[in-house]
Amino acid sequence: MGSAQPEAVFREFVIAILVHNDALADRLGLQPADVAALMLLETRGPLAVGTIAEELGLPSASTTRLIDRLEKGGYARRVRGERDRRMVTVELVPEGLAVYEAACESTRKHLEALAQQHGIERMPMMLEVFAMVGSAYRTALRDLRAEAG
């Protein structure tokens, strides 16, 4: 890390992710929160609308508009529960997932090169740090929302 301050390095990391997410959203014709929803659906599978809202820290109306954009773009669809028609989950559409994955190909290539360069044995430690940072940010999001509300 050299003489760089840890907080500055971390902030540069966050900026890179935010700017990348914005560029990916532009490429897909979506909003940055829409891309976050795609990532959730890609990693976790179909999710209830309320779960998406909770995970992204969005109000219900904003989540509805987000899902509308994903449907309109051909990335996802709403699925009503068979027993309880009021229960709605959102799932990725295979064709939309293919478009999303193609847009992410360059990112995957660069991350795989990074893993090769620094050794696969360091990956578990890096993933653990990412998980801890993600948890800290989710907690901070809840704090921000609580303070605003």
Side-chain angles (χ1 to χ4, degrees), residues 34-95:
D34 304 347
V35 173
L38 286 176
M39 290 178 188
L40 281 173
L41 294 166
E42 179 189 29
T43 58
R44 299 186 191 173
L47 294 172
V49 173
T51 301
I52 295 170
E54 183 178 318
E55 289 294 324
L56 298 181
L58 296 173
S60 180
S62 297
T63 304
T64 297
R65 288 189 300 274
L66 178 151
I67 296 166
D68 288 345
R69 289 189 298 271
L70 293 180
E71 281 191 316
K72 183 178 179 186
Y75 296 102
R77 66 177 155 243
R78 288 175 173 92
V79 178
R80 294 213 173 266
E82 289 183 23
R83 284 196 240 174
D84 183 351
R85 303 287 295 158
R86 295 171 296 178
M87 181 64 179
V88 178
T89 58
V90 180
E91 65 183 23
L92 292 175
V93 174
E95 297 81 9

Short mmCIF file of all heavy atoms in Angstrom, two decimals, residues 34-95:
data_model
loop_
_atom_site.label_atom_id
_atom_site.label_comp_id
_atom_site.label_asym_id
_atom_site.label_seq_id
_atom_site.Cartn_x
_atom_site.Cartn_y
_atom_site.Cartn_z
N ASP A 34 -30.93 -0.45 -10.28
CA ASP A 34 -31.42 -1.59 -11.07
C ASP A 34 -30.32 -2.64 -11.21
O ASP A 34 -30.58 -3.84 -11.14
CB ASP A 34 -31.85 -1.14 -12.47
CG ASP A 34 -32.91 -0.04 -12.46
OD1 ASP A 34 -33.51 0.23 -11.41
OD2 ASP A 34 -33.11 0.56 -13.54
N VAL A 35 -29.09 -2.17 -11.43
CA VAL A 35 -27.96 -3.10 -11.55
C VAL A 35 -27.72 -3.81 -10.23
O VAL A 35 -27.46 -5.01 -10.21
CB VAL A 35 -26.68 -2.36 -12.03
CG1 VAL A 35 -25.48 -3.28 -12.00
CG2 VAL A 35 -26.89 -1.79 -13.42
N ALA A 36 -27.86 -3.09 -9.13
CA ALA A 36 -27.73 -3.73 -7.81
C ALA A 36 -28.79 -4.83 -7.66
O ALA A 36 -28.49 -5.92 -7.14
CB ALA A 36 -27.86 -2.69 -6.70
N ALA A 37 -30.01 -4.57 -8.11
CA ALA A 37 -31.06 -5.59 -8.05
C ALA A 37 -30.70 -6.79 -8.93
O ALA A 37 -30.91 -7.94 -8.53
CB ALA A 37 -32.40 -5.00 -8.48
N LEU A 38 -30.15 -6.53 -10.12
CA LEU A 38 -29.72 -7.64 -10.98
C LEU A 38 -28.67 -8.49 -10.28
O LEU A 38 -28.70 -9.72 -10.35
CB LEU A 38 -29.16 -7.10 -12.31
CG LEU A 38 -30.16 -6.58 -13.32
CD1 LEU A 38 -29.42 -5.99 -14.53
CD2 LEU A 38 -31.12 -7.67 -13.77
N MET A 39 -27.73 -7.82 -9.61
CA MET A 39 -26.69 -8.55 -8.88
C MET A 39 -27.29 -9.42 -7.78
O MET A 39 -26.88 -10.57 -7.59
CB MET A 39 -25.67 -7.58 -8.29
CG MET A 39 -24.80 -6.92 -9.31
SD MET A 39 -23.69 -5.76 -8.47
CE MET A 39 -22.96 -4.94 -9.87
N LEU A 40 -28.26 -8.86 -7.05
CA LEU A 40 -28.94 -9.64 -6.01
C LEU A 40 -29.61 -10.87 -6.60
O LEU A 40 -29.48 -11.98 -6.08
CB LEU A 40 -30.00 -8.79 -5.31
CG LEU A 40 -29.54 -7.81 -4.26
CD1 LEU A 40 -30.71 -6.94 -3.81
CD2 LEU A 40 -28.92 -8.53 -3.07
N LEU A 41 -30.34 -10.67 -7.69
CA LEU A 41 -31.06 -11.77 -8.33
C LEU A 41 -30.10 -12.80 -8.91
O LEU A 41 -30.37 -14.00 -8.87
CB LEU A 41 -32.01 -11.24 -9.40
CG LEU A 41 -33.17 -10.39 -8.88
CD1 LEU A 41 -33.83 -9.64 -10.03
CD2 LEU A 41 -34.17 -11.24 -8.13
N GLU A 42 -28.98 -12.32 -9.44
CA GLU A 42 -27.99 -13.24 -10.00
C GLU A 42 -27.37 -14.12 -8.92
O GLU A 42 -27.18 -15.32 -9.12
CB GLU A 42 -26.89 -12.45 -10.72
CG GLU A 42 -25.81 -13.32 -11.31
CD GLU A 42 -24.62 -12.52 -11.80
OE1 GLU A 42 -24.34 -11.44 -11.27
OE2 GLU A 42 -23.96 -13.01 -12.73
N THR A 43 -27.08 -13.54 -7.77
CA THR A 43 -26.40 -14.30 -6.73
C THR A 43 -27.33 -15.09 -5.84
O THR A 43 -26.97 -16.16 -5.35
CB THR A 43 -25.52 -13.39 -5.85
OG1 THR A 43 -26.34 -12.38 -5.27
CG2 THR A 43 -24.40 -12.77 -6.65
N ARG A 44 -28.56 -14.59 -5.62
CA ARG A 44 -29.47 -15.23 -4.68
C ARG A 44 -30.63 -15.97 -5.31
O ARG A 44 -31.35 -16.70 -4.64
CB ARG A 44 -30.01 -14.22 -3.69
CG ARG A 44 -28.92 -13.57 -2.87
CD ARG A 44 -29.51 -12.68 -1.83
NE ARG A 44 -28.49 -11.87 -1.21
CZ ARG A 44 -28.75 -10.90 -0.36
NH1 ARG A 44 -30.01 -10.66 -0.02
NH2 ARG A 44 -27.78 -10.19 0.16
N GLY A 45 -30.85 -15.74 -6.61
CA GLY A 45 -32.00 -16.36 -7.26
C GLY A 45 -33.24 -15.50 -7.07
O GLY A 45 -33.15 -14.36 -6.60
N PRO A 46 -34.42 -16.03 -7.42
CA PRO A 46 -35.65 -15.25 -7.30
C PRO A 46 -35.85 -14.73 -5.88
O PRO A 46 -35.58 -15.43 -4.90
CB PRO A 46 -36.75 -16.25 -7.67
CG PRO A 46 -36.06 -17.26 -8.52
CD PRO A 46 -34.66 -17.37 -7.96
N LEU A 47 -36.31 -13.47 -5.80
CA LEU A 47 -36.52 -12.82 -4.50
C LEU A 47 -37.89 -12.17 -4.45
O LEU A 47 -38.39 -11.69 -5.46
CB LEU A 47 -35.46 -11.74 -4.27
CG LEU A 47 -34.01 -12.19 -4.13
CD1 LEU A 47 -33.08 -10.99 -4.10
CD2 LEU A 47 -33.84 -13.03 -2.86
N ALA A 48 -38.43 -12.13 -3.25
CA ALA A 48 -39.68 -11.40 -3.04
C ALA A 48 -39.42 -9.92 -3.25
O ALA A 48 -38.32 -9.42 -2.97
CB ALA A 48 -40.20 -11.66 -1.64
N VAL A 49 -40.43 -9.22 -3.72
CA VAL A 49 -40.31 -7.78 -3.94
C VAL A 49 -39.88 -7.08 -2.65
O VAL A 49 -38.99 -6.22 -2.66
CB VAL A 49 -41.64 -7.20 -4.47
CG1 VAL A 49 -41.58 -5.69 -4.55
CG2 VAL A 49 -41.97 -7.79 -5.84
N GLY A 50 -40.45 -7.46 -1.53
CA GLY A 50 -40.10 -6.86 -0.25
C GLY A 50 -38.65 -7.09 0.12
O GLY A 50 -38.01 -6.21 0.73
N THR A 51 -38.10 -8.24 -0.23
CA THR A 51 -36.70 -8.53 0.05
C THR A 51 -35.79 -7.61 -0.76
O THR A 51 -34.79 -7.09 -0.25
CB THR A 51 -36.38 -10.01 -0.24
OG1 THR A 51 -37.23 -10.83 0.56
CG2 THR A 51 -34.93 -10.33 0.03
N ILE A 52 -36.14 -7.41 -2.02
CA ILE A 52 -35.36 -6.50 -2.87
C ILE A 52 -35.39 -5.10 -2.27
O ILE A 52 -34.34 -4.44 -2.14
CB ILE A 52 -35.88 -6.50 -4.32
CG1 ILE A 52 -35.65 -7.88 -4.95
CG2 ILE A 52 -35.20 -5.41 -5.14
CD1 ILE A 52 -36.33 -8.07 -6.29
N ALA A 53 -36.57 -4.65 -1.87
CA ALA A 53 -36.70 -3.32 -1.27
C ALA A 53 -35.84 -3.20 -0.02
O ALA A 53 -35.10 -2.22 0.16
CB ALA A 53 -38.16 -3.03 -0.93
N GLU A 54 -35.90 -4.21 0.83
CA GLU A 54 -35.14 -4.20 2.08
C GLU A 54 -33.64 -4.21 1.81
O GLU A 54 -32.89 -3.44 2.41
CB GLU A 54 -35.53 -5.40 2.94
CG GLU A 54 -34.85 -5.43 4.29
CD GLU A 54 -35.31 -6.61 5.12
OE1 GLU A 54 -36.52 -6.92 5.13
OE2 GLU A 54 -34.44 -7.23 5.75
N GLU A 55 -33.19 -5.09 0.93
CA GLU A 55 -31.76 -5.20 0.65
C GLU A 55 -31.18 -3.94 0.02
O GLU A 55 -30.03 -3.60 0.26
CB GLU A 55 -31.49 -6.40 -0.26
CG GLU A 55 -31.67 -7.73 0.41
CD GLU A 55 -30.65 -7.99 1.51
OE1 GLU A 55 -29.47 -7.58 1.37
OE2 GLU A 55 -31.03 -8.58 2.53
N LEU A 56 -31.97 -3.26 -0.80
CA LEU A 56 -31.49 -2.05 -1.46
C LEU A 56 -31.84 -0.78 -0.68
O LEU A 56 -31.45 0.32 -1.08
CB LEU A 56 -32.04 -1.97 -2.89
CG LEU A 56 -31.62 -3.11 -3.81
CD1 LEU A 56 -32.22 -2.91 -5.20
CD2 LEU A 56 -30.10 -3.23 -3.88
N GLY A 57 -32.58 -0.94 0.41
CA GLY A 57 -32.95 0.21 1.22
C GLY A 57 -33.87 1.18 0.50
O GLY A 57 -33.79 2.38 0.66
N LEU A 58 -34.77 0.61 -0.32
CA LEU A 58 -35.68 1.43 -1.11
C LEU A 58 -37.10 1.36 -0.57
O LEU A 58 -37.53 0.32 -0.09
CB LEU A 58 -35.69 0.94 -2.57
CG LEU A 58 -34.40 1.06 -3.35
CD1 LEU A 58 -34.57 0.37 -4.70
CD2 LEU A 58 -34.01 2.51 -3.51
N PRO A 59 -37.84 2.47 -0.71
CA PRO A 59 -39.26 2.40 -0.39
C PRO A 59 -40.01 1.55 -1.42
O PRO A 59 -39.51 1.32 -2.53
CB PRO A 59 -39.73 3.86 -0.44
CG PRO A 59 -38.63 4.65 -1.00
CD PRO A 59 -37.40 3.79 -1.06
N SER A 60 -41.19 1.13 -1.07
CA SER A 60 -41.99 0.25 -1.91
C SER A 60 -42.22 0.82 -3.31
O SER A 60 -42.06 0.12 -4.31
CB SER A 60 -43.33 -0.02 -1.22
OG SER A 60 -44.13 -0.85 -2.01
N ALA A 61 -42.59 2.10 -3.40
CA ALA A 61 -42.87 2.71 -4.71
C ALA A 61 -41.64 2.71 -5.59
O ALA A 61 -41.72 2.45 -6.80
CB ALA A 61 -43.41 4.12 -4.53
N SER A 62 -40.48 3.00 -5.02
CA SER A 62 -39.23 3.01 -5.81
C SER A 62 -38.89 1.61 -6.29
O SER A 62 -38.40 1.42 -7.41
CB SER A 62 -38.08 3.57 -4.98
OG SER A 62 -38.32 4.91 -4.63
N THR A 63 -39.14 0.62 -5.43
CA THR A 63 -38.87 -0.77 -5.82
C THR A 63 -39.79 -1.19 -6.95
O THR A 63 -39.36 -1.88 -7.89
CB THR A 63 -39.04 -1.70 -4.60
OG1 THR A 63 -38.19 -1.23 -3.55
CG2 THR A 63 -38.67 -3.13 -4.95
N THR A 64 -41.04 -0.78 -6.90
CA THR A 64 -41.98 -1.10 -7.98
C THR A 64 -41.49 -0.52 -9.30
O THR A 64 -41.49 -1.21 -10.33
CB THR A 64 -43.39 -0.55 -7.65
OG1 THR A 64 -43.85 -1.22 -6.47
CG2 THR A 64 -44.36 -0.78 -8.79
N ARG A 65 -41.04 0.73 -9.29
CA ARG A 65 -40.52 1.35 -10.53
C ARG A 65 -39.25 0.65 -11.01
O ARG A 65 -39.07 0.43 -12.21
CB ARG A 65 -40.27 2.84 -10.30
CG ARG A 65 -41.57 3.65 -10.20
CD ARG A 65 -41.33 5.15 -10.21
NE ARG A 65 -40.50 5.62 -9.12
CZ ARG A 65 -40.93 5.95 -7.91
NH1 ARG A 65 -42.23 5.86 -7.63
NH2 ARG A 65 -40.09 6.36 -6.97
N LEU A 66 -38.39 0.25 -10.07
CA LEU A 66 -37.18 -0.48 -10.42
C LEU A 66 -37.54 -1.78 -11.14
O LEU A 66 -36.99 -2.09 -12.20
CB LEU A 66 -36.38 -0.76 -9.15
CG LEU A 66 -35.09 -1.56 -9.27
CD1 LEU A 66 -34.13 -1.14 -8.17
CD2 LEU A 66 -35.32 -3.05 -9.20
N ILE A 67 -38.47 -2.53 -10.59
CA ILE A 67 -38.87 -3.81 -11.20
C ILE A 67 -39.54 -3.55 -12.55
O ILE A 67 -39.33 -4.32 -13.51
CB ILE A 67 -39.75 -4.62 -10.24
CG1 ILE A 67 -38.93 -5.00 -9.00
CG2 ILE A 67 -40.30 -5.87 -10.92
CD1 ILE A 67 -39.76 -5.51 -7.84
N ASP A 68 -40.31 -2.49 -12.65
CA ASP A 68 -40.91 -2.12 -13.94
C ASP A 68 -39.81 -1.93 -14.99
O ASP A 68 -39.94 -2.40 -16.13
CB ASP A 68 -41.72 -0.83 -13.83
CG ASP A 68 -43.03 -1.01 -13.07
OD1 ASP A 68 -43.47 -2.15 -12.86
OD2 ASP A 68 -43.61 0.04 -12.68
N ARG A 69 -38.72 -1.22 -14.62
CA ARG A 69 -37.62 -0.99 -15.57
C ARG A 69 -36.93 -2.31 -15.95
O ARG A 69 -36.59 -2.53 -17.12
CB ARG A 69 -36.60 -0.01 -14.98
CG ARG A 69 -37.08 1.41 -14.90
CD ARG A 69 -35.96 2.37 -14.52
NE ARG A 69 -35.37 2.12 -13.22
CZ ARG A 69 -35.80 2.64 -12.07
NH1 ARG A 69 -36.85 3.46 -12.06
NH2 ARG A 69 -35.19 2.36 -10.94
N LEU A 70 -36.74 -3.19 -14.98
CA LEU A 70 -36.12 -4.49 -15.27
C LEU A 70 -37.00 -5.31 -16.21
O LEU A 70 -36.49 -5.98 -17.12
CB LEU A 70 -35.84 -5.27 -13.98
CG LEU A 70 -34.78 -4.69 -13.05
CD1 LEU A 70 -34.63 -5.58 -11.81
CD2 LEU A 70 -33.45 -4.52 -13.76
N GLU A 71 -38.30 -5.26 -15.99
CA GLU A 71 -39.22 -5.99 -16.89
C GLU A 71 -39.21 -5.37 -18.27
O GLU A 71 -39.12 -6.09 -19.28
CB GLU A 71 -40.64 -5.99 -16.32
CG GLU A 71 -40.85 -7.00 -15.23
CD GLU A 71 -42.31 -7.17 -14.87
OE1 GLU A 71 -43.04 -6.16 -14.74
OE2 GLU A 71 -42.71 -8.34 -14.69
N LYS A 72 -39.31 -4.06 -18.35
CA LYS A 72 -39.33 -3.38 -19.64
C LYS A 72 -38.06 -3.65 -20.44
O LYS A 72 -38.09 -3.82 -21.65
CB LYS A 72 -39.51 -1.87 -19.43
CG LYS A 72 -39.60 -1.09 -20.71
CD LYS A 72 -39.82 0.39 -20.45
CE LYS A 72 -39.88 1.14 -21.77
NZ LYS A 72 -39.95 2.59 -21.56
N GLY A 73 -36.92 -3.72 -19.73
CA GLY A 73 -35.64 -3.99 -20.39
C GLY A 73 -35.43 -5.45 -20.74
O GLY A 73 -34.44 -5.80 -21.39
N GLY A 74 -36.33 -6.33 -20.29
CA GLY A 74 -36.20 -7.75 -20.60
C GLY A 74 -35.23 -8.49 -19.69
O GLY A 74 -34.77 -9.58 -20.01
N TYR A 75 -34.93 -7.92 -18.51
CA TYR A 75 -33.98 -8.54 -17.59
C TYR A 75 -34.64 -9.44 -16.56
O TYR A 75 -34.04 -10.40 -16.08
CB TYR A 75 -33.17 -7.46 -16.85
CG TYR A 75 -32.31 -6.64 -17.78
CD1 TYR A 75 -32.70 -5.37 -18.17
CD2 TYR A 75 -31.13 -7.16 -18.29
CE1 TYR A 75 -31.93 -4.62 -19.05
CE2 TYR A 75 -30.36 -6.43 -19.17
CZ TYR A 75 -30.76 -5.15 -19.54
OH TYR A 75 -30.00 -4.43 -20.41
N ALA A 76 -35.87 -9.12 -16.18
CA ALA A 76 -36.53 -9.86 -15.11
C ALA A 76 -38.03 -9.89 -15.34
O ALA A 76 -38.55 -9.18 -16.21
CB ALA A 76 -36.20 -9.21 -13.76
N ARG A 77 -38.70 -10.71 -14.55
CA ARG A 77 -40.16 -10.76 -14.60
C ARG A 77 -40.69 -11.00 -13.19
O ARG A 77 -40.02 -11.60 -12.35
CB ARG A 77 -40.63 -11.84 -15.55
CG ARG A 77 -40.31 -13.25 -15.11
CD ARG A 77 -40.87 -14.30 -16.07
NE ARG A 77 -40.09 -15.51 -15.96
CZ ARG A 77 -39.37 -16.05 -16.94
NH1 ARG A 77 -39.38 -15.49 -18.13
NH2 ARG A 77 -38.68 -17.14 -16.75
N ARG A 78 -41.91 -10.55 -13.00
CA ARG A 78 -42.63 -10.80 -11.75
C ARG A 78 -43.32 -12.16 -11.88
O ARG A 78 -43.85 -12.49 -12.93
CB ARG A 78 -43.68 -9.73 -11.52
CG ARG A 78 -43.14 -8.38 -11.14
CD ARG A 78 -44.30 -7.39 -11.07
NE ARG A 78 -43.90 -6.09 -10.56
CZ ARG A 78 -43.52 -5.07 -11.32
NH1 ARG A 78 -43.46 -5.19 -12.63
NH2 ARG A 78 -43.19 -3.91 -10.77
N VAL A 79 -43.33 -12.89 -10.79
CA VAL A 79 -44.02 -14.18 -10.75
C VAL A 79 -44.92 -14.18 -9.52
O VAL A 79 -44.43 -14.00 -8.40
CB VAL A 79 -43.01 -15.35 -10.69
CG1 VAL A 79 -43.74 -16.68 -10.62
CG2 VAL A 79 -42.06 -15.31 -11.88
N ARG A 80 -46.20 -14.39 -9.74
CA ARG A 80 -47.16 -14.43 -8.62
C ARG A 80 -47.13 -15.82 -7.99
O ARG A 80 -46.96 -16.83 -8.67
CB ARG A 80 -48.57 -14.12 -9.12
CG ARG A 80 -48.69 -12.71 -9.60
CD ARG A 80 -50.08 -12.16 -9.33
NE ARG A 80 -50.12 -10.75 -9.65
CZ ARG A 80 -49.92 -9.78 -8.77
NH1 ARG A 80 -49.67 -10.06 -7.54
NH2 ARG A 80 -49.98 -8.51 -9.14
N GLY A 81 -47.32 -15.85 -6.68
CA GLY A 81 -47.35 -17.12 -5.96
C GLY A 81 -48.53 -17.97 -6.42
O GLY A 81 -49.60 -17.44 -6.71
N GLU A 82 -48.34 -19.27 -6.47
CA GLU A 82 -49.42 -20.16 -6.88
C GLU A 82 -50.51 -20.25 -5.83
O GLU A 82 -51.69 -20.24 -6.16
CB GLU A 82 -48.85 -21.55 -7.19
CG GLU A 82 -48.03 -21.57 -8.46
CD GLU A 82 -47.55 -22.96 -8.80
OE1 GLU A 82 -48.17 -23.95 -8.36
OE2 GLU A 82 -46.55 -23.06 -9.52
N ARG A 83 -50.11 -20.31 -4.55
CA ARG A 83 -51.11 -20.41 -3.48
C ARG A 83 -51.63 -19.04 -3.07
O ARG A 83 -52.82 -18.89 -2.83
CB ARG A 83 -50.50 -21.10 -2.27
CG ARG A 83 -50.39 -22.58 -2.46
CD ARG A 83 -50.18 -23.24 -1.13
NE ARG A 83 -48.91 -23.96 -1.17
CZ ARG A 83 -48.37 -24.55 -0.15
NH1 ARG A 83 -48.95 -24.49 1.03
NH2 ARG A 83 -47.25 -25.20 -0.27
N ASP A 84 -50.74 -18.09 -2.96
CA ASP A 84 -51.12 -16.74 -2.55
C ASP A 84 -50.74 -15.78 -3.67
O ASP A 84 -49.57 -15.44 -3.83
CB ASP A 84 -50.42 -16.36 -1.24
CG ASP A 84 -50.84 -15.00 -0.72
OD1 ASP A 84 -51.54 -14.26 -1.44
OD2 ASP A 84 -50.46 -14.67 0.41
N ARG A 85 -51.71 -15.38 -4.46
CA ARG A 85 -51.46 -14.53 -5.63
C ARG A 85 -50.93 -13.15 -5.25
O ARG A 85 -50.41 -12.44 -6.08
CB ARG A 85 -52.74 -14.37 -6.46
CG ARG A 85 -53.35 -15.68 -6.93
CD ARG A 85 -52.60 -16.37 -8.01
NE ARG A 85 -52.60 -15.59 -9.23
CZ ARG A 85 -51.70 -15.72 -10.19
NH1 ARG A 85 -50.76 -16.61 -10.09
NH2 ARG A 85 -51.76 -14.98 -11.27
N ARG A 86 -51.07 -12.79 -3.97
CA ARG A 86 -50.54 -11.50 -3.52
C ARG A 86 -49.02 -11.54 -3.38
O ARG A 86 -48.37 -10.51 -3.42
CB ARG A 86 -51.16 -11.10 -2.18
CG ARG A 86 -52.66 -10.84 -2.25
CD ARG A 86 -53.22 -10.68 -0.88
NE ARG A 86 -53.04 -11.96 -0.17
CZ ARG A 86 -53.37 -12.19 1.08
NH1 ARG A 86 -53.91 -11.23 1.81
NH2 ARG A 86 -53.20 -13.37 1.64
N MET A 87 -48.47 -12.73 -3.20
CA MET A 87 -47.02 -12.91 -3.05
C MET A 87 -46.38 -12.81 -4.44
O MET A 87 -46.72 -13.58 -5.34
CB MET A 87 -46.72 -14.26 -2.42
CG MET A 87 -45.28 -14.52 -2.21
SD MET A 87 -44.61 -13.34 -1.03
CE MET A 87 -42.94 -13.87 -0.95
N VAL A 88 -45.48 -11.85 -4.60
CA VAL A 88 -44.82 -11.64 -5.88
C VAL A 88 -43.32 -11.79 -5.69
O VAL A 88 -42.72 -11.16 -4.81
CB VAL A 88 -45.14 -10.26 -6.47
CG1 VAL A 88 -44.40 -10.03 -7.78
CG2 VAL A 88 -46.65 -10.10 -6.67
N THR A 89 -42.72 -12.64 -6.52
CA THR A 89 -41.27 -12.74 -6.54
C THR A 89 -40.79 -12.21 -7.89
O THR A 89 -41.55 -12.10 -8.84
CB THR A 89 -40.77 -14.19 -6.35
OG1 THR A 89 -41.33 -15.00 -7.38
CG2 THR A 89 -41.15 -14.73 -4.99
N VAL A 90 -39.52 -11.90 -7.94
CA VAL A 90 -38.90 -11.41 -9.16
C VAL A 90 -37.79 -12.38 -9.52
O VAL A 90 -37.00 -12.79 -8.66
CB VAL A 90 -38.32 -9.98 -8.96
CG1 VAL A 90 -37.67 -9.48 -10.24
CG2 VAL A 90 -39.41 -9.03 -8.49
N GLU A 91 -37.76 -12.77 -10.79
CA GLU A 91 -36.73 -13.69 -11.25
C GLU A 91 -36.11 -13.15 -12.53
O GLU A 91 -36.74 -12.41 -13.28
CB GLU A 91 -37.29 -15.09 -11.47
CG GLU A 91 -38.31 -15.19 -12.58
CD GLU A 91 -38.90 -16.58 -12.72
OE1 GLU A 91 -38.88 -17.36 -11.75
OE2 GLU A 91 -39.40 -16.89 -13.82
N LEU A 92 -34.86 -13.54 -12.76
CA LEU A 92 -34.18 -13.13 -13.99
C LEU A 92 -34.74 -13.89 -15.18
O LEU A 92 -35.15 -15.04 -15.06
CB LEU A 92 -32.68 -13.39 -13.87
CG LEU A 92 -31.93 -12.52 -12.87
CD1 LEU A 92 -30.49 -12.96 -12.76
CD2 LEU A 92 -32.02 -11.05 -13.26
N VAL A 93 -34.72 -13.23 -16.32
CA VAL A 93 -35.12 -13.84 -17.58
C VAL A 93 -33.82 -14.29 -18.26
O VAL A 93 -32.86 -13.51 -18.33
CB VAL A 93 -35.87 -12.81 -18.45
CG1 VAL A 93 -36.16 -13.35 -19.82
CG2 VAL A 93 -37.15 -12.36 -17.75
N PRO A 94 -33.74 -15.53 -18.75
CA PRO A 94 -32.49 -16.02 -19.32
C PRO A 94 -31.86 -15.09 -20.38
O PRO A 94 -30.66 -14.87 -20.36
CB PRO A 94 -32.87 -17.37 -19.93
CG PRO A 94 -34.04 -17.82 -19.10
CD PRO A 94 -34.78 -16.56 -18.76
N GLU A 95 -32.67 -14.55 -21.26
CA GLU A 95 -32.12 -13.66 -22.30
C GLU A 95 -31.54 -12.40 -21.69
O GLU A 95 -30.49 -11.91 -22.11
CB GLU A 95 -33.20 -13.31 -23.33
CG GLU A 95 -33.74 -14.49 -24.10
CD GLU A 95 -34.82 -15.29 -23.34
OE1 GLU A 95 -35.30 -14.84 -22.26
OE2 GLU A 95 -35.16 -16.38 -23.83
#
